Amino acid sequence: MNDHDGAVGAFAALSARRPEPTPEQRAALAAGTGLSTLTALVPPPTTPRLGPHDWAWLYERLGTRLPTEYVRLMEAYGAGEWCQWLRFQVPRGTDSYDLAPWAEWYADCYRGLRADHPAYHPLAAWPEPGGFLPFADSIDGDQLCWLTEGDEPDAWPLVVVPRHAGQGPPLTGTLVETLLAWLRGHLHVEGLPRPVRPDEDPLDVIDFEQFEEETDGR
């Protein structure tokens, strides 16, 4: 087999693995807001993985209700990985990488780093007042968090706690707005690099891969 035949074969295999984008996906890539646009752009799994408990259990474990938008997003997609970069862990489970255990462990680690290097770790960490509460992370260890400012979770701003850069300001969009902007290539902050190169068709790249029951997402 020559190089041309090999390239054709590889392209055919890729095409077989990934269906041709639909007109609805093209439209959602170009415009639209909200969860309905996100699910049109990236179809969610049939059965999202949420964990064995309910939301009330999670709220009691964390000591707070969580933003409604996050709950709706997770009920649509569940635990999984966006664009082979951003991971949403199982929200209602007790394994070490599930939401509550991970958030508690990471906050403790952050407080230790803050005690030694306060200039590089300036934030409060949940359950400190206004502290960040991580709920997703990158494969490189960056954390996507809420800043728990005030008593209304639906008004909490988002912030990225980057692993390899100084702390930046809060993000300006909601969770779904942030995901859409990132997937479309309109958002670029430390910890959330653009998922698509300029020469790529975004719909050949952006995706969501559900975490299976036998994996912890790592």
Side-chain angles (χ1 to χ4, degrees), residues 157-182:
L158 298 173
V159 68
V160 176
V161 177
R163 184 181 178 190
H164 299 296
Q167 182 59 53
L171 306 181
T172 58
T174 69
L175 177 55
V176 171
E177 288 171 350
T178 296
L179 276 174
L180 282 170
W182 179 61

Side-chain angles (χ1 to χ4, degrees), residues 99-135:
L99 174 60
W102 176 259
E104 294 159 359
W105 177 85
Y106 189 86
D108 285 342
C109 291
Y110 187 93
R111 281 187 284 269
L113 292 170
R114 188 180 63 199
D116 294 333
H117 307 284
Y120 298 104
H121 302 86
L123 301 178
W126 179 263
E128 298 168 345
F132 72 83
L133 176 56
F135 62 91

